[in-house]
Amino acid sequence: MPGFEWLGKEETKAVNEVMQRGVLFRYEFADQRQGVYMVRRFEEEFAAYTGASHALAVTSGSAALKVALAAMGVGYGDEVITQGFTFVATWEAILDCGAKPVFCEVDESLCLDPEDLKKKITDKTRCIVPVHMMGAQARINEIMDIAKQAGIPVLEDTAQAAGCTLKGKHVGTFGAMGTFSFDSVKTLTCGEGGMVISNDPELYQNASEYHDHGHDHKPVGRGNEGRRFMGMNFRMMELQGALGVTQLAKLDKMVATQRANKAALKEALARVPGVSFRYLPDEAGDSATFLAWFHETPEAATRFAGLLAEEGVPAIPWGKNTWHAYPHWEHLHAGASLAKSGWPFDRPEGRAEYDADALPQTDAILSRCLSWQIMLGWDEARLKHMTEVINRVAAAM
């Protein structure tokens, strides 16, 4: 999965050229930078790659979520529905906007369950945030239908799924906005960084202004007067933009490599009694950053994981994961905050409370789920060794 495996002379050259120009800031200094704007170029090329009309580069995937939610007008008094299997940044951004996250179950797609979504919508629901977890598609068409009927916009958290498509259409382009992460373990990496995409020019303009203290950037400048609203600083710098341009050129080959490596291991796992795989709305469009599978019981998953670890090829037991699984977000359940007022959990209308046992379906699914992160650097020898391990572990079960 991580693009850092393929960092090479192309990235070094691109970064060195930025350093030689001496401008790290994404705006201004036209003469000194010789008319070269790497962040702007990254945005233009990423928009073209995904098929979006607009793209805005920011400092991280977490920042992308915050900027997109702000652009959509999400704030205090609003509820935002998301899923109970995601990285903590999804709900942190919601809380940071002043809104309340409302958590949905996931199904065996390991993404938001449309049936539970229907139950969670209220008159306070301002936005729905499905997450394309682990490189594969959520049931986004079903989610979009439900959202359209309710008149609620969708923001796609596509942090882990750059290069993923559904029937040829890039995820992140189905909803009103989509967000991506380019941190150190993502397929396309800038070390840190993120992107917001949209086909809505008004939402894009809101995001563009908000991410840079309210400056309007019309047409491409900065510092114009007449700011419409306050913002913050979530600007990407030129070094990240240079890395992004270079890595984007490799993304299709990265995804193809991940798909080949995943297919080899999936074929071996498919022969293991009691193993089944996550539901993929479009297997051909999966970016293949992870191979996830289920055992019939939590006990079987735990035993299989233990045997894999003994063989030196440990799998991720999602039922015990503290970064992505709702039952283990102890700081959310405790309502822990640095604010002396208790914000954003303590509110004028009452405390926002989150019960660790509130998503039994998600807990049950994750307790049977294991996965491997698919690496770009695996060669035939590595894949053969992992296949042999699968065979030995299966025989020992």
Side-chain angles (χ1 to χ4, degrees):
M1 174 183 175
F4 71 71
E5 295 180 273
W6 282 11
L7 290 175
K9 60 183 180 181
E10 302 89 354
E11 286 84 356
T12 300
K13 180 176 182 290
V15 168
N16 283 341
E17 288 174 352
V18 172
M19 296 299 293
Q20 289 165 10
R21 287 189 291 271
V23 181
L24 304 185
F25 189 49
R26 69 157 298 172
Y27 295 113
E28 302 173 337
F29 306 105
D31 292 339
Q32 187 177 343
R33 75 199 306 148
Q34 303 163 33
V36 178
Y37 294 81
M38 294 306 295
V39 173
R40 187 195 307 172
R41 178 179 166 188
F42 183 28
E43 292 169 337
E44 291 170 350
E45 293 183 3
F46 195 83
Y49 178 82
T50 59
S53 300
H54 306 283
L56 176 72
V58 293
T59 49
S60 68
S62 304
L65 287 162
K66 176 69 187 296
V67 169
L69 289 165
M72 296 171 78
V74 172
Y76 175 71
D78 297 331
E79 294 178 352
V80 177
I81 298 174
T82 192
Q83 61 200 54
F85 182 44
T86 183
F87 184 60
V88 294
T90 308
W91 55 264
E92 287 174 333
I94 295 167
L95 283 168
D96 199 55
C97 286
K100 288 183 183 179
V102 174
F103 292 97
C104 266
E105 302 275 19
V106 300
D107 57 26
E108 290 202 356
S109 69
L110 296 176
C111 300
L112 192 150
D113 181 354
E115 292 305 312
D116 196 42
L117 171 62
K118 296 174 186 177
K119 303 173 186 176
K120 299 294 173 66
I121 293 173
T122 72
D123 58 1
K124 294 183 179 180
T125 305
R126 182 62 182 269
C127 183
I128 298 168
V129 185
V131 185
H132 300 287
M133 276 298 289
M134 298 162 61
Q137 317 91 350
R139 299 176 188 263
I140 192 63
N141 285 325
E142 297 167 63
I143 292 166
M144 290 298 300
D145 287 344
I146 295 166
K148 184 177 181 179
Q149 291 174 15
I152 300 167
V154 170
L155 165 60
E156 296 173 73
D157 184 340
T158 322
Q160 300 180 6
C164 178
T165 60
L166 177 62
K167 307 302 181 184
K169 181 179 172 70
H170 279 266
V171 295
T173 62
F174 289 80
M177 305 188 89
T179 62
F180 295 79
S181 172
F182 308 131
D183 72 22
S184 59
V185 297
K186 297 302 189 295
T187 305
L188 189 167
T189 184
C190 302
E192 287 286 0
M195 193 76 76
V196 181
I197 63 173
S198 182
N199 289 317
D200 186 320
E202 182 177 346
L203 289 177
Y204 165 74
Q205 190 62 38
N206 286 349
S208 176
E209 294 176 23
Y210 180 80
H211 104 293
D212 185 24
H213 302 295
H215 295 303
D216 67 16
H217 310 133
K218 292 181 179 179
V220 291
R222 181 177 181 271
N224 303 307
E225 298 299 330
R227 290 172 290 272
R228 297 186 299 147
F229 47 76
M230 61 165 281
M232 287 291 290
N233 174 14
F234 295 111
R235 298 183 303 265
M236 178 179 279
M237 67 176 178
E238 289 290 274
L239 291 172
Q240 294 166 292
L243 287 169
V245 167
T246 310
Q247 286 259 297
L248 181 59
K250 301 178 180 182
L251 182 55
D252 281 343
K253 188 175 180 181
M254 290 175 178
V255 171
T257 300
Q258 289 172 174
R259 287 173 178 164
N261 290 347
K262 177 177 179 177
L265 296 178
K266 187 173 182 179
E267 182 181 10
L269 276 169
R271 296 192 295 268
V272 178
V275 163
S276 60
F277 298 96
R278 71 183 292 191
Y279 169 73
L280 298 175
D282 178 14
E283 188 163 9
D286 176 20
S287 70
T289 58
F290 285 84
L291 170 58
W293 69 93
F294 303 105
H295 292 266
E296 292 177 332
T297 65
E299 294 76 18
T302 298
R303 176 161 169 71
F304 199 82
L307 292 170
L308 289 175
E310 290 175 8
E311 291 274 5
V313 288
I316 301 168
W318 288 113
K320 299 178 182 178
N321 185 272
T322 60
W323 285 103
H324 299 81
Y326 176 90
H328 304 298
W329 293 332
E330 75 285 351
H331 50 329
L332 174 71
H333 307 314
S337 169
L338 285 173
K340 296 188 187 308
S341 66
W343 177 263
F345 298 99
D346 288 339
R347 296 164 176 255
E349 72 275 18
R351 185 168 174 80
E353 297 185 340
Y354 296 93
D355 180 359
D357 298 321
L359 299 177
Q361 177 177 298
T362 297
D363 196 9
I365 288 172
L366 295 182
S367 71
R368 300 185 294 107
C369 183
L370 302 176
S371 77
W372 277 313
Q373 183 180 9
I374 303 299
M375 307 302 288
L376 296 170
W378 287 345
D379 56 15
E380 289 187 16
R382 173 66 176 179
L383 292 170
K384 180 181 178 182
H385 169 67
M386 294 181 73
T387 298
E388 291 171 348
V389 167
I390 292 169
N391 294 336
R392 287 197 297 270
V393 168
M397 287 289 287

